[in-house]
Amino acid sequence: MLIRFGHDFELVCDQETPLVCLVSARPERDADLHEVVPVKTWPPVPVSRYLDGFGNTCLRMVAPAGSFRFLQDAVIDDTGDPDPLIPTLRQAGIAALPAETLGFLLPSRYVESDLLSDAAWQLFGTSATGWARVQTICDFVHGHIAFGYKDASSLRTAAGAWQDRRGVCRDYAHLALAFCRAMNFPARYVNGYLGDIGVPFGGPMDFAAWIEVWIEDRWVTFDPRNNTRRIGRIKVAHGRDAADVPLIHSFGAHKLQKFSVWCDEVSQAAVMPHQIGSRADHAA
């Protein structure tokens, strides 16, 4: 399966503003990339890449004062398989966890697992362990929060989502992370592209947030927002919570003037070098 994905953002800055953006597929998907258009900006500015402490690809640039657009467009090979379902996986004991997972057991900026520990054990302490317990947590969070873009808030934490019972995909992820960590599962926040492939059209695209949980001997994908196995996830970044992986980290005030995201299955015939980047060519 081939998936075309990318974004087209336009910002308005009052003054020259440094940016760090996490919008590219993670490096482990490099071998799957079929076609990639280099980042295009209007007006043109230098764009450099680096990997952060979590191994995410970061784009670094300086937006000039006024209007600034940047766009990426790519095609990636995907298996077309839905998220894995492995209910036999068992929870690893703390002493057996790899050292690199331990940081994902701790509270973080948006994930107050310490504050929600009592609630987690009351809700899930008698549930089946391993994979089943994580799925039980996701089932609960999916039903606890009412989704609505109007309810998005950059200040809401997991505890806030627990109390407010409303939010967007990042709120589902943060609350599920808090419960998983409280139950001694290492769990990390993920954002990326998730198109409506194999499901009914859900409206204009946005970046999606989900979670990965360490069970037995591996990281496993769970999605408390959609709470169903999906096809064609393109992972952009992971971290302790949303604070680690902002799509746009601006070192100065800006206004988001335009926000367009795409992630669609395409045919081989549609993947031609002159067509890749056509969104930019038509919009420029």
Side-chain angles (χ1 to χ4, degrees), residues 168-211:
V168 292
C169 56
R170 62 178 269 159
D171 299 304
Y172 289 79
H174 285 150
L175 184 55
L177 290 175
F179 286 150
C180 286
R181 293 179 193 175
M183 304 300 292
N184 297 324
F185 289 95
R188 62 194 186 190
Y189 182 95
V190 182
N191 67 25
Y193 298 88
L194 180 60
D196 295 321
I197 299 174
V199 298
F201 177 67
M205 266 287 298
D206 194 354
F207 282 91
W210 59 90
I211 68 173

Side-chain angles (χ1 to χ4, degrees), residues 268-280:
Q268 183 69 48
V271 183
M272 300 295 291
H274 70 278
Q275 291 177 312
I276 303 298
S278 60
R279 294 175 186 262

Side-chain angles (χ1 to χ4, degrees), residues 60-274:
R60 189 177 182 183
M61 63 197 85
V62 178
S67 175
F68 177 68
R69 287 182 60 208
F70 70 101
L71 176 146
Q72 285 192 115
D73 198 16
V75 172
I76 194 167
D77 284 305
D78 191 84
T79 64
D81 296 331
D83 299 328
L85 176 65
I86 320 174
T88 56
L89 291 181
R90 297 177 294 178
Q91 183 173 3
I94 300 294
L97 290 172
E100 62 269 19
T101 69
L102 296 178
F104 296 103
L105 283 171
L106 305 177
S108 57
R109 164 70 178 85
Y110 286 102
V111 180
E112 312 102 320
S113 50
D114 50 346
L115 298 182
L116 294 173
S117 179
D118 287 346
W121 282 97
Q122 289 172 13
L123 288 167
F124 313 113
T126 60
S127 65
T129 59
W131 174 289
R133 177 167 284 176
V134 177
Q135 186 58 60
T136 299
I137 289 171
C138 290
D139 291 344
F140 176 85
V141 171
H142 179 74
H144 184 78
I145 297 175
F147 183 87
Y149 283 114
K150 68 182 187 306
D151 296 317
S153 170
S154 62
L155 301 179
R156 184 181 294 115
T157 66
W162 167 246
Q163 294 171 351
D164 296 345
R165 304 191 63 168
R166 55 192 173 89
V168 292
C169 56
R170 62 178 269 159
D171 299 304
Y172 289 79
H174 285 150
L175 184 55
L177 290 175
F179 286 150
C180 286
R181 293 179 193 175
M183 304 300 292
N184 297 324
F185 289 95
R188 62 194 186 190
Y189 182 95
V190 182
N191 67 25
Y193 298 88
L194 180 60
D196 295 321
I197 299 174
V199 298
F201 177 67
M205 266 287 298
D206 194 354
F207 282 91
W210 59 90
I211 68 173
E212 291 176 342
V213 183
W214 184 269
I215 311 178
E216 194 165 313
D217 60 356
R218 69 196 75 181
W219 290 107
V220 184
T221 295
F222 289 88
D223 186 346
R225 158 66 178 103
N226 294 294
N227 206 32
T228 186
R229 300 167 71 201
R230 295 288 294 269
I231 295 170
R233 293 183 195 273
I234 301 172
K235 182 177 174 181
V236 166
H238 68 242
R240 293 165 298 181
D241 58 36
D244 286 332
V245 291
L247 298 176
I248 302 174
H249 189 175
S250 65
F251 296 85
H254 74 269
K255 179 181 179 181
L256 187 59
Q257 193 76 14
K258 178 181 180 180
F259 181 87
S260 178
V261 181
W262 51 93
C263 184
D264 307 301
E265 183 179 3
V266 294
S267 67
Q268 183 69 48
V271 183
M272 300 295 291
H274 70 278

Side-chain angles (χ1 to χ4, degrees), residues 29-40:
R29 295 299 303 271
D30 283 354
D32 298 327
L33 290 171
H34 189 86
E35 297 284 354
V36 181
V37 170
V39 178
K40 295 186 176 184

